[in-house]
Amino acid sequence: MCGIVGMAGNFNKEILESALKSIDHRGKDYSNAFIDEENSLALGHNLLSIFNLIDENNGICDNLEYNKQPIILNNLVLVFNGEIYNFNKLEEYLIENDENYSKSKSDSQILANLISFHYNSNDENLLESVKYVIKELDADYSFAVYDMKHDNLAISRDSIGVKPLFYGMDEEKDLKVFASEKKALWKAGITDENIHDLTPGCILYNWETVDLDDNLINKLISTDFKEMKSSYKEYDDYLKTKDSYEVYKELLIDGLYSAVEKRVDNISNVGLIFSGGVDSTILAVLLKQIAEKRNNEDNSIPLNIKLYSVGVEKSQDIVFSKDMANELDLPIKTIIIDENAVKESIKPVLTAIEDDNLMKLGVGMTIYLAAKAMKEDDVKVALSGQGADELFGGYNRYLKHFEKNSLFDAYFALDEEIYHDIANMHHVNLERDDAVSMANGVELRVPFLDKDIINLALDIPGKYKIRDNDDILRKHILRDVAKSIGVPDHIADRPKKAAQYGSGINKILKKRVLKSFDMGEFIDSLKDK
C-alpha cells in the first residue's frame, strides 16, 4: 500500500512536494517523483514496503529495492498503489508470450511489464493496453501510467474501490491533479466542488472518464430487478435456476480460504481487526489454518497472527474477542478506550477521513486505534471483515423488505438493495477504512471483497441469506459457514452490533466529546492549511 499523486498543467516542484508530503503517512519507506517538464506532467509516489522474501540464507528480508517507484519502462512511467494477487499467473503469461521479459520482483514491476507488453503489441495504444490489463488483474489497486512518447495518461482503480483515487481540475489555474487522498488535492489548491471520486473499474484517460461495459459497478447499477422478477411466477421457480444451499456453502468455504490465503502470501506478520463477531472470527479461524499449513512447509515464510480489539472496559467487543482469542489460542492486544482516548483520536481520525459524518467517525476511530496499535507492533498489514454485511444481508434495515411484501417480492427487493450497497460502498465505507489505517502506515486488506467472493455472494439467492421475516440474526449462510469451519455456535450466532456501538465509542462521542467539538469547523480548517 502506498500513496500516489499526479499533476498536469500549471504546477511547480514545490506544489508537488507539498502534495506528496501531505500523504507521506501512506508510505514512509521511500518517496520519489517523475517530472516531465516539456509536457508539464508529474507523477509522485510514497512507498510502504510490505512484501517479504526468503533470502539465500533462508531468512526473511523485505523487498524495498524492487518496490521503489515511479517505474520508468521505455516510453512508460507508472505509479501504483495496491496488491496484485494473481502475480504468478500474470508472470507465467509474460514468460510464455514475451521473449524479452525478465522476471518481475514486485507487484509494480509486473504491472509495468504487463502494460508495456500490450502497449507494444497494440501499436502503442495506451488506452487499449490498460483496458486489456485491468481485465486480467485480480487485485486491489489504483494506478496511473503515462506515455511519454505520445503524451497520454491513463488512471484506473480496482473494480469495487478498495483503493482510493480522487481527481480534480481547476480550469482557471490550468491545473489537473489526482491523488490517493483529498488533502493532496487541497494542497494543490483544488477545492471540494472540483474534486471527484473516480468510479471503481473505470479509466480516467487524459482526464476524461472511460466507462467499461463489463465494469462491475455498471453491472450492479444497471441490473433490472423488475424484469428479472417478471420471468418467474413463484420464488421457488427462481431457486430452481440456482445451485443448492449446500453447494453454495461449500463454494463459500473454499472461496473464503483462498481469499484470505492470497492476502497474506509473502507476509510474515498480519494483524486482524477483531470484534469477536462472526465475520472477524471466520477470518481468525482461516488465518490460523493457513499459518499452520505454512509453518509446516519448507522454504515458506512463517505467518504470525495477532488480533486487535478496541472498546471500553467490559464492552461487548472486548469481552467476546478476549474469550474467542483464548479459545483459538491466538495472541490478542485489547485497546481499552475512555473519554480521553476518544478526545485524543478525534482530530487525527477526522484528518484521515476528510469528512464530518458521525457514523464514519465512530467506525473509523475503531479501525484507527487498532491500526495505531499495529504500528506500535511493527505490523504493516491488517485484515478486516468489511463487506460481509453488504454481501450476505447482515444489516437490520434489510428486514424492512419483509414487512409488507410477499416473500417473492421481498427477496428480489433484498437483492436489489444489496446490489446498490455494493455499488456504493467505496465512498461509504472503503475510503474511510483505507484512510484511517493508512494514517498509521498500515495496509488494510478485505478478503470478503475478493472478486470471486463478490461474484459468488451476488449469485447466492436472498433466501439463503435471510430465511424469512423472523430471521433477526440474518447472514444465515455465512453463519452456517462459520460453524462448518469450527466457529463456536455462540459466536456464529452472535447478533450483529456495529463497531461504533460494540466498542462503546459512539456513546462517548455523542454524550461527551462532540458537545464541545465542531467537526465541520475542523474539517474546513484542514482545507486552509
Side-chain angles (χ1 to χ4, degrees):
M1 176 82 79
C2 310
I4 60 176
V5 172
M7 295 184 180
N10 186 24
F11 70 91
N12 56 42
K13 187 177 180 181
E14 288 71 27
I15 291 174
L16 176 65
E17 289 177 347
S18 178
L20 268 174
K21 179 67 176 175
S22 71
I23 61 168
D24 67 355
H25 49 271
R26 298 185 67 88
K28 296 281 191 179
D29 293 322
Y30 182 77
S31 183
N32 198 15
F34 161 86
I35 300 176
D36 185 335
E37 294 183 354
E38 181 179 350
N39 292 308
S40 299
L41 183 135
L43 299 177
H45 186 267
N46 292 323
L47 171 67
L48 176 67
S49 183
I50 59 176
F51 195 89
N52 296 127
L53 300 170
I54 298 291
D55 62 23
E56 61 274 10
N57 298 316
N58 206 34
I60 299 173
C61 61
D62 65 32
N63 198 36
L64 177 61
E65 188 60 35
Y66 301 109
N67 273 319
K68 292 180 178 179
Q69 300 181 45
I71 290 177
I72 300 175
L73 186 60
N74 302 318
N75 297 335
L76 305 179
V77 186
L78 174 84
V79 288
F80 169 76
N81 167 33
E83 300 298 326
I84 296 176
Y85 303 121
N86 60 338
F87 180 102
N88 292 335
K89 180 180 177 181
L90 297 176
E91 180 140 273
E92 288 173 5
Y93 173 84
L94 287 172
I95 290 171
E96 291 176 4
N97 293 278
D98 185 356
E99 61 183 17
N100 298 315
Y101 176 67
S102 297
K103 292 193 73 173
S104 302
K105 296 183 179 180
S106 67
D107 287 356
S108 51
Q109 284 187 5
I110 194 76
L111 181 59
N113 279 308
L114 199 61
I115 295 173
S116 178
F117 172 71
H118 289 290
Y119 172 84
N120 293 325
S121 303
N122 283 282
D123 298 321
E124 299 183 348
N125 187 320
L126 182 64
L127 178 59
E128 291 305 314
S129 302
V130 171
K131 281 183 179 180
Y132 186 90
V133 167
I134 62 177
K135 289 180 182 179
E136 302 304 309
L137 292 178
D138 178 8
D140 300 326
Y141 64 84
S142 60
F143 72 82
V145 57
Y146 175 58
D147 178 358
M148 293 183 283
K149 183 176 180 180
H150 301 289
D151 190 26
N152 289 320
L153 176 68
I155 306 165
S156 190
R157 182 182 183 188
D158 66 78
S159 62
I160 202 67
V162 173
K163 299 303 181 221
L165 202 291
F166 303 94
Y167 69 97
M169 299 168 241
D170 189 320
E171 293 184 4
E172 290 185 5
K173 295 178 181 177
D174 183 29
L175 178 62
K176 302 178 180 72
V177 184
F178 73 83
S180 299
E181 297 183 15
K182 290 180 184 178
K183 56 181 63 67
L185 282 80
W186 293 340
K187 283 291 184 181
I190 306 294
T191 55
D192 279 342
E193 59 268 24
N194 293 317
I195 295 178
H196 308 280
D197 190 338
L198 182 60
T199 302
C202 289
I203 299 171
L204 190 66
Y205 190 68
N206 293 331
W207 305 97
E208 293 187 2
T209 302
V210 177
D211 275 325
L212 305 180
D213 293 337
D214 57 353
N215 180 3
L216 174 61
I217 300 293
N218 287 339
K219 286 182 178 179
L220 291 171
I221 63 179
S222 64
T223 300
D224 190 334
F225 282 90
K226 288 183 179 179
E227 181 180 343
M228 185 189 301
K229 188 168 64 171
S230 69
S231 302
Y232 307 97
K233 291 183 179 180
E234 303 288 342
Y235 191 68
D236 282 347
D237 295 332
Y238 171 70
L239 287 181
K240 290 175 184 176
T241 69
K242 297 292 185 177
D243 286 319
S244 70
Y245 180 87
E246 289 302 320
V247 166
Y248 280 119
K249 193 173 83 168
E250 290 304 313
L251 289 172
L252 198 48
I253 291 171
D254 292 342
L256 284 170
Y257 184 94
S258 175
V260 174
E261 185 175 42
K262 70 175 73 169
R263 278 163 178 78
V264 294
D265 190 30
N266 293 308
I267 299 298
S268 58
N269 297 301
V270 65
L272 174 62
I273 298 175
F274 193 65
S275 66
V278 61
D279 306 333
S280 59
T281 305
I282 286 173
L283 298 183
V285 170
L286 294 175
L287 281 170
K288 185 174 181 181
Q289 291 175 3
I290 292 162
E292 290 172 349
K293 174 187 172 185
R294 276 174 41 177
N295 292 344
N296 290 324
E297 292 176 345
D298 294 333
N299 299 318
S300 182
I301 296 171
L303 180 62
N304 304 303
I305 308 159
K306 191 167 186 177
L307 312 180
Y308 293 80
S309 183
V310 177
V312 299
E313 189 76 58
K314 297 183 180 180
S315 64
Q316 283 194 29
D317 284 2
I318 293 294
V319 171
F320 276 97
S321 61
K322 287 171 74 173
D323 287 348
M324 196 62 233
N326 183 59
E327 191 159 343
L328 290 172
D329 193 25
L330 289 174
I332 186 170
K333 175 180 277 191
T334 54
I335 300 94
I336 304 300
I337 58 169
D338 54 18
E339 184 176 346
N340 286 333
V342 172
K343 283 182 177 178
E344 290 174 2
S345 301
I346 189 168
K347 288 184 178 180
V349 172
L350 287 173
T351 300
I353 66 175
E354 305 164 335
D355 195 324
D356 60 1
N357 180 286
L358 177 58
M359 187 189 77
K360 288 186 178 182
L361 174 63
V363 179
M365 190 171 292
T366 304
I367 300 170
Y368 173 85
L369 289 168
K372 184 179 179 182
M374 292 181 201
K375 182 180 180 180
E376 293 168 357
D377 293 342
D378 198 29
V379 173
K380 292 185 175 182
V381 176
L383 299 188
S384 87
Q386 184 60 263
D389 287 311
E390 288 82 357
L391 287 170
F392 297 101
Y395 294 121
N396 185 63
R397 58 182 163 85
Y398 291 140
L399 289 176
K400 69 179 183 290
H401 299 298
F402 297 85
E403 293 172 359
K404 297 180 180 180
N405 294 323
S406 66
L407 287 179
F408 179 71
D409 292 330
Y411 282 126
F412 282 104
L414 170 64
D415 285 343
E416 184 171 11
E417 186 170 8
I418 285 174
Y419 272 50
H420 173 273
D421 288 347
I422 294 299
N424 288 279
M425 70 181 304
H426 61 283
H427 56 73
V428 175
N429 296 329
L430 297 179
E431 289 162 358
R432 172 203 64 209
D433 295 356
D434 173 90
V436 291
S437 59
M438 286 306 295
N440 292 291
V442 174
E443 176 183 335
L444 188 64
R445 299 183 181 180
V446 282
F448 283 103
L449 293 177
D450 182 87
K451 70 174 187 175
D452 291 334
I453 296 298
I454 292 173
N455 289 330
L456 175 60
L458 292 177
D459 191 55
I460 295 175
K463 183 176 178 61
Y464 298 162
K465 300 173 183 179
I466 299 179
R467 289 173 294 177
D468 51 42
N469 57 324
D470 294 323
D471 187 3
I472 59 173
L473 288 179
R474 306 171 302 280
K475 288 196 291 193
H476 177 63
I477 191 169
L478 192 62
R479 295 180 189 277
D480 240 6
V481 163
K483 294 171 186 177
S484 294
I485 65 171
V487 175
D489 286 3
H490 74 281
I491 296 295
D493 293 330
R494 180 186 169 194
K496 173 177 172 54
K497 197 155 191 177
Q500 67 270 39
Y501 304 118
S503 64
I505 284 177
N506 191 71
K507 186 175 181 180
I508 295 174
L509 281 170
K510 292 181 74 172
K511 291 193 172 183
R512 303 179 200 173
V513 177
L514 293 181
K515 288 183 177 181
S516 59
F517 186 88
D518 190 324
M519 291 193 292
E521 183 178 295
F522 180 77
I523 292 293
D524 287 339
S525 73
L526 297 176
K527 302 169 187 177
D528 299 329
K529 290 182 180 179

